[in-house]
C-alpha cells in the first residue's frame, strides 16, 4: 500500500469539510482494517512518501494498525540548485503587484500562485485576472481555480490532466490551490518567473510547495502574510490544552443530550489514535500561523534558496486604490449576477442533482447559489444578502435565532445529531462538537446575553449587571475560549467583553454619547437587530413547527 503526500492526505482525512466529513468515522474504521490487513504477518508493507514527512504519518498508520513494526526510513538529501526568491516584506502585496506589472510590461511571462479565489478577495485569482486583463489586453491569461477547471465553458476546464501542454499556450497563468499536491509543471523555456502571494490560508508547507510547482529554476517573487488567517480547534499550540478542550466539550454535549432524554448506555468509541494525530497536526499548523511569514521564509532558507528582501514603495497608493476598485467592481457584479439568476424551474430534486454535478457553468453556479440562499433565509435574495452571507452572517444569525425565538427547538435539533452518533457508536470529536448548539446557547445564557439584547437599553461600563457578567467571564477565560471561541484578556473592560459576545450573534454596540454631569460615562446601545432578521426568524420558526408536526 502506497500513500504519496502522506502528511497532506492524513490532514485532509482528519479535517477536510468536503464529502469526507459526512463519512469520517466510517472511513477511519475502514482504513484501520485496511492497515491491519496490510501489516499482518507475512502480508505486505505500507510505504509513506512526503517532502515534509514527519513522525506523525508513521504514528498514524501504526496506531490504527495496532502494530509495533519498526519503520524503515529513507531520507532524500538531494537539494536542487538554489533559486533567488525576492521577498516583498511590506504589510500588503501592493509593491509585489507593482513589480509583477513591470515584469509583464517588459515581456515577462509569469506563473502566479495565490491562496484565494473568490471575487471578494482582493488578492484572489478572479480579481488579479480582471486587473491584469484590463492592464494587458493583448496577453493571453489563464485562470486556474476550483470554478474554472469545473466550468465546461471555461478554457481551463479539465486542464489539470494535460497541464504542461495547456500552459504553453498562455502568457500569464494564475493558479489557486486547485493546482495542488502531486502536480508538477515541467515545461522549460516558457515561464520567466514565478510569483506567489499568500495571505496565510493554507499551512506553510503547502505555500512552499505552491511556490515550487514550476520546476524550472527561474526566479521567484514572494509576498507572504506576517500571520496566518486560519486556525484549527481553539487555535492552541499546546496539545494537552487543545485535546482537553475537545474532550470537555464532548462530555458537556453528552450531559446536555441526556438532559434532552437521549439514553446513552453504550460507550461511544473515540478513535484516540486519529484524534491524537489531529491534535498534533493542529498544534503544528497553529504554531506556523502565528509567525506565518517567518515560518515560510525559514523553511525556504533551509531548502537552500537565496532570500532577497525588496523594499520598493513605488506607486503604492495609486495601485492600492486601483486593486480595491477592481475587487469592488468584480464582486459587486458577481453578487448582482447571483440575484439575477432564474431559480423558478429549480426543484429540491433538481437542486440536489446540481449540487452533485461536478462540471458547472457560471450560470449554473449562480442558480445554485441563489436557490441555496432562498432556502437558507426565506427572503428575497439581494446583493447585500449575498455579501453578508459571504462574511459569516448565517452562523451568527442562526445562533441568535436559537438564543431567542427558536430556543425551544435547540435540544431536539442536537438530539437528532446525537442519535446518529449512537447509531454509529462512534464519534469524531471535532465534527461532533462543531455540530452541537446547546452548549453554546447555555454559555451565552449564563452570561445573561438574552437579557442584554432586549429592548432599547443604554449601557455604561459601570452597570452592575454588566460588571458582574464581565467578572464571571474573566473567571472562566479558558472555558469561554473553548466553547465560544472568544479570547478574553484580564484588562478587557465590561463594554469590550459585551461587544465580543454580541459579535457571535451578529450584533454590535454603538457609541451614543456621554452622561451630562458628574462621572461622565460613555453610553452605548445594541444595534444591528433591524437588519431584517425577524422575517428570517419567522421563516425558520415556521419550518421548525412544520417538522415538529410531521
Amino acid at each position: 500500500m502506497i500513500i504519496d503526500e502522506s502528511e497532506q492526505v492524513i490532514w485532509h482525512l482528519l479535517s477536510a469539510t468536503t464529502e469526507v466529513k459526512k463519512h469520517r468515522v466510517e472511513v477511519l474504521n475502514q482504513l484501520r482494517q485496511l492497515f491491519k490487513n496490510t501489516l499482518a504477518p507475512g502480508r505486505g508493507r505500507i510505504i509513506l512518501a512526503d517532502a515534509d514527512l514527519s513522525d506523525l504519518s508513521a504514528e498514524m498508520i501504526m496506531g490504527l494498525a495496532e502494530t509495533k513494526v519498526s519503520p524503515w526510513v529513507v531520507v532524500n538529501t538531494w537539494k536542487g540548485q538554489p533559486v533567488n526568491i525576492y521577498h516583498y516584506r511590506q504589510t500588503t502585496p501592493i509593491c509585489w503587484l507593482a513589480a509583477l506589472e513591470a515584469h509583464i510590461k517588459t515581456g515577462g511571462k509569469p506563473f502566479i500562485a495565490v491562496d484565494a479565489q473568490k471575487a471578494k478577495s482582493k488578492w484572489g485569482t478572479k480579481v488579479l485576472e480582471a486587473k491584469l486583463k484590463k492592464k494587458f489586453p493583448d496577453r493571453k491569461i489563464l485562470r486556474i481555480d476550483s470554478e474554472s477547471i469545473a466550468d465546461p465553458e471555461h478554457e481551463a476546464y479539465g486542464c489539470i490532466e494535460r497541464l504542461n501542454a495547456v500552459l504553453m499556450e498562455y502568457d500569464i497563468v494564475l493558479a489557486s490551490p486547485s493546482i495542488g499536491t502531486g502536480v508538477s509543471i515541467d515545461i522549460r523555456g516558457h515561464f520567466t518567473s514565478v510569483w506567489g502571494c499568500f495571505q496565510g490560508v493554507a499551512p506553510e508547507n503547502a505555500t512552499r510547495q505552491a511556490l515550487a510547482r514550476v520546476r524550472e529554476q527561474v526566479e521567484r517573487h514572494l509576498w507572504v502574510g506576517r500571520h496566518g488567517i486560519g486556525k484549527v480547534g481553539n487555535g492552541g499550540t499546546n496539545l494537552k490544552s487543545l485535546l482537553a478542550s475537545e474532550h470537555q466539550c464532548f462530555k458537556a454535549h453528552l450531559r446536555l443530550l441526556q438532559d434532552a432524554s437521549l439514553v446513552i448506555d453504550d460507550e461511544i468509541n473515540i478513535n484516540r489514535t486519529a484524534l491524537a494525530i489531529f491534535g498534533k497536526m493542529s498544534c503544528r499548523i497553529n504554531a506556523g500561523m502565528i509567525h506565518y511569514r517567518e515560518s515560510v521564509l525559514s523553511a525556504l532558507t533551509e531548502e537552500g534558496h537565496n532570500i532577497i528582501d525588496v523594499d520598493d514603495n513605488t506607486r503604492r497608493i495609486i495601485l492600492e486604490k486601483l486593486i480595491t476598485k477592481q475587487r469592488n467592481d468584480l464582486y459587486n457584479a458577481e453578487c448582482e449576477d447571483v440575484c439575477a439568476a432564474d431559480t423558478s424551474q429549480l426543484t429540491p430534486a433538481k437542486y440536489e442533482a446540481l449540487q452533485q454535478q461536478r462540471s458547472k457553468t457560471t450560470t449554473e453556479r449562480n442558480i445554485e447559489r441563489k436557490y441555496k440562499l432562498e432556502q437558507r433565509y426565506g427572503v428575497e435574495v439581494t446583493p447585500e444578502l449575498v455579501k453578508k452571507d459571504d462574511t459569516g452572517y448565517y452562523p451568527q444569525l442562526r445562533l441568535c435565532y436559537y438564543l431567542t425565538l427558536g430556543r425551544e427547538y435547540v435540544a431536539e435539533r442536537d438530539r437528532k445529531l446525537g442519535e446518529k452518533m449512537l447509531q454509529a457508536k462512534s464519534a469524531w470529536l471535532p465534527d461532533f462538537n462543531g455540530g452541537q448548539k446547546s452548549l453554546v446557547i447555555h454559555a451565552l445564557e449564563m452570561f445573561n446575553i438574552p437579557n442584554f439584547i432586549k429592548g432599547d437599553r443604554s449601557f455604561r461600563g459601570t452597570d452592575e449587571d454588566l460588571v458582574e457578567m464581565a467578572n464571571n467571564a474573566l473567571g472562566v477565560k479558558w472555558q469561554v475560549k473553548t466553547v465560544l471561541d472568544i479570547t478574553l484578556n484580564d484588562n478587557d473592560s465590561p463594554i469590550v467583553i459585551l461587544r465580543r459576545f454580541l459579535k457571535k450573534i451578529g450584533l454590535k454596540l454603538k457609541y451614543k454619547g456621554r452622561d451630562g454631569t458628574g462621572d461622565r460615562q460613555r453610553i452605548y446601545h445594541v444595534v444591528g437587530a433591524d437588519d431584517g432578521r425577524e422575517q428570517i426568524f419567522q421563516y425558520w420558526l415556521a419550518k421548525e413547527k412544520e417538522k415538529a408536526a410531521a
Side-chain angles (χ1 to χ4, degrees):
M1 181 179 179
I2 302 173
I3 305 178
D4 195 14
E5 305 288 358
S6 61
E7 296 279 318
Q8 294 185 51
V9 169
I10 291 171
W11 180 242
H12 179 86
L13 166 65
L14 300 180
S15 67
T17 56
T18 54
E19 187 68 18
V20 71
K21 181 177 180 179
K22 302 176 185 177
H23 313 283
R24 194 139 21 223
V25 170
E26 298 96 317
V27 172
L28 283 169
N29 290 336
Q30 291 170 4
L31 280 177
R32 180 200 296 272
Q33 191 59 52
L34 180 60
F35 294 155
K36 282 184 177 181
N37 293 344
T38 305
L39 294 180
R43 290 292 299 274
R45 65 183 64 177
I46 297 176
I47 300 172
L48 307 175
D50 197 294
D52 297 292
L53 190 68
S54 72
D55 292 347
L56 299 184
S57 287
E59 188 178 329
M60 173 79 166
I61 304 305
M62 291 189 292
L64 291 182
E66 299 177 357
T67 181
K68 293 184 179 180
V69 296
S70 298
W72 185 63
V73 181
V74 181
V75 180
N76 184 356
T77 58
W78 178 86
K79 289 186 178 181
Q81 291 295 317
V83 175
N84 288 336
I85 299 178
Y86 294 91
H87 169 233
Y88 297 77
R89 57 187 178 184
Q90 295 79 22
T91 55
T92 72
I94 284 295
C95 295
W96 172 90
L97 178 60
L100 171 61
E101 290 186 351
H103 178 70
I104 297 172
K105 190 174 182 179
T106 57
K109 292 185 176 181
F111 178 89
I112 307 165
V114 298
D115 57 4
Q117 170 253 321
K118 300 295 184 184
K120 70 171 184 173
S121 174
K122 190 186 295 186
W123 304 102
T125 54
K126 285 186 174 181
V127 175
L128 286 175
E129 177 194 32
K131 177 76 170 66
L132 295 177
K133 277 188 172 180
K134 188 174 182 179
K135 182 84 172 179
F136 305 102
D138 59 324
R139 307 299 171 88
K140 289 192 67 178
I141 301 176
L142 180 66
R143 171 172 60 88
I144 303 175
D145 55 34
S146 59
E147 286 188 6
S148 65
I149 61 177
D151 184 349
E153 298 178 350
H154 198 282
E155 52 198 336
Y157 179 63
C159 72
I160 302 298
E161 290 76 15
R162 48 192 177 88
L163 195 59
N164 285 303
V166 171
L167 297 186
M168 293 291 290
E169 302 174 13
Y170 294 89
D171 303 312
I172 302 169
V173 175
L174 288 148
S176 75
S178 57
I179 297 185
T181 300
V183 175
S184 179
I185 300 174
D186 302 309
I187 57 179
R188 303 279 170 174
H190 181 70
F191 292 117
T192 57
S193 57
V194 174
W195 297 70
C197 179
F198 305 103
Q199 300 168 81
V201 176
E204 63 84 17
N205 62 332
T207 291
R208 287 186 288 110
Q209 290 191 27
L211 200 64
R213 199 67 60 204
V214 174
R215 305 308 184 191
E216 189 175 6
Q217 303 297 304
V218 293
E219 65 184 30
R220 266 67 169 163
H221 293 257
L222 172 67
W223 181 88
V224 58
R226 292 182 179 178
H227 309 290
I229 57 179
K231 64 178 182 178
V232 186
N234 64 1
T237 57
N238 179 281
L239 177 63
K240 184 177 180 181
S241 174
L242 191 144
L243 291 183
S245 70
E246 293 289 352
H247 283 291
Q248 289 200 13
C249 280
F250 184 63
K251 290 178 181 177
H253 287 312
L254 291 184
R255 287 195 296 270
L256 290 172
L257 288 173
Q258 288 173 326
D259 292 342
S261 303
L262 186 65
V263 179
I264 305 175
D265 292 329
D266 298 329
E267 183 176 349
I268 304 300
N269 178 52
I270 298 172
N271 194 318
R272 299 190 180 278
T273 293
L275 189 62
I277 300 301
F278 169 82
K280 292 176 182 179
M281 286 187 165
S282 298
C283 290
R284 185 172 66 186
I285 290 171
N286 289 338
M289 290 294 178
I290 294 173
H291 304 290
Y292 193 70
R293 178 181 291 180
E294 182 182 316
S295 299
V296 172
L297 294 177
S298 176
L300 288 172
T301 301
E302 288 179 11
E303 291 177 3
H305 301 301
N306 304 317
I307 308 297
I308 304 168
D309 281 339
V310 178
D311 190 6
D312 180 12
N313 290 309
T314 305
R315 299 172 59 221
R316 178 177 179 181
I317 296 176
I318 297 174
L319 272 174
E320 181 73 55
K321 291 180 179 179
L322 287 174
I323 196 71
T324 299
K325 183 179 184 304
Q326 189 70 65
R327 188 274 310 272
N328 292 343
D329 291 346
L330 187 67
Y331 186 43
N332 289 338
E334 187 173 281
C335 293
E336 293 282 356
D337 289 343
V338 170
C339 296
D342 182 8
T343 58
S344 59
Q345 303 301 315
L346 207 59
T347 63
K350 288 181 179 179
Y351 170 68
E352 186 175 348
L354 183 58
Q355 279 188 304
Q356 299 301 319
Q357 190 175 307
R358 297 190 65 179
S359 299
K360 299 172 191 174
T361 64
T362 300
T363 300
E364 287 173 331
R365 280 197 304 272
N366 288 338
I367 291 173
E368 178 188 4
R369 178 76 193 280
K370 183 178 181 181
Y371 185 85
K372 180 180 179 180
L373 293 175
E374 289 173 339
Q375 300 304 307
R376 171 174 278 186
Y377 295 104
V379 296
E380 179 187 357
V381 177
T382 63
E384 291 71 28
L385 182 62
V386 177
K387 292 175 183 178
K388 287 196 289 188
D389 186 72
D390 281 339
T391 55
Y393 185 57
Y394 179 72
Q396 293 175 341
L397 215 58
R398 200 70 178 162
L399 199 58
C400 186
Y401 166 75
Y402 281 128
L403 188 66
T404 55
L405 197 61
R407 181 64 181 88
E408 64 180 295
Y409 297 100
V410 177
E412 182 59 25
R413 174 198 175 277
D414 285 359
R415 190 176 185 278
K416 290 179 180 178
L417 294 175
E419 288 173 349
K420 292 181 180 179
M421 174 192 66
L422 290 181
Q423 290 173 2
K425 295 184 178 179
S426 296
W428 180 245
L429 267 56
D431 290 345
F432 181 80
N433 289 337
Q436 297 285 293
K437 288 286 183 283
S438 295
L439 187 59
V440 175
I441 297 300
H442 275 279
L444 291 172
E445 289 174 336
M446 186 179 78
F447 295 116
N448 204 30
I449 302 305
N451 290 326
F452 286 145
I453 62 177
K454 287 180 180 178
D456 189 27
R457 172 179 166 178
S458 297
F459 289 93
R460 295 166 178 79
T462 55
D463 290 350
E464 186 176 339
D465 57 347
L466 194 56
V467 172
E468 182 182 3
M469 177 277 293
N471 290 335
N472 290 339
L474 290 173
V476 287
K477 286 184 297 183
W478 188 84
Q479 289 85 346
V480 170
K481 176 66 176 175
T482 296
V483 176
L484 296 172
D485 193 24
I486 294 174
T487 301
L488 299 179
N489 300 305
D490 287 334
N491 58 351
D492 286 339
S493 68
I495 290 295
V496 168
I497 292 173
L498 178 59
R499 181 176 281 124
R500 289 179 183 164
F501 279 122
L502 293 177
K503 186 179 179 181
K504 293 292 293 184
I505 55 176
L507 298 175
K508 299 178 180 179
L509 278 180
K510 185 176 181 180
Y511 172 66
K512 291 292 185 178
R514 287 179 180 269
D515 287 329
T517 58
D519 184 11
R520 301 186 64 209
Q521 291 289 318
R522 286 173 171 262
I523 304 171
Y524 298 86
H525 283 223
V526 176
V527 297
D530 57 350
D531 58 356
R533 63 181 61 195
E534 283 304 321
Q535 184 181 351
I536 297 171
F537 287 178
Q538 290 297 331
Y539 169 72
W540 288 343
L541 184 63
K543 290 180 71 174
E544 298 273 18
K545 291 180 177 178
E546 186 179 327
K547 286 181 184 177

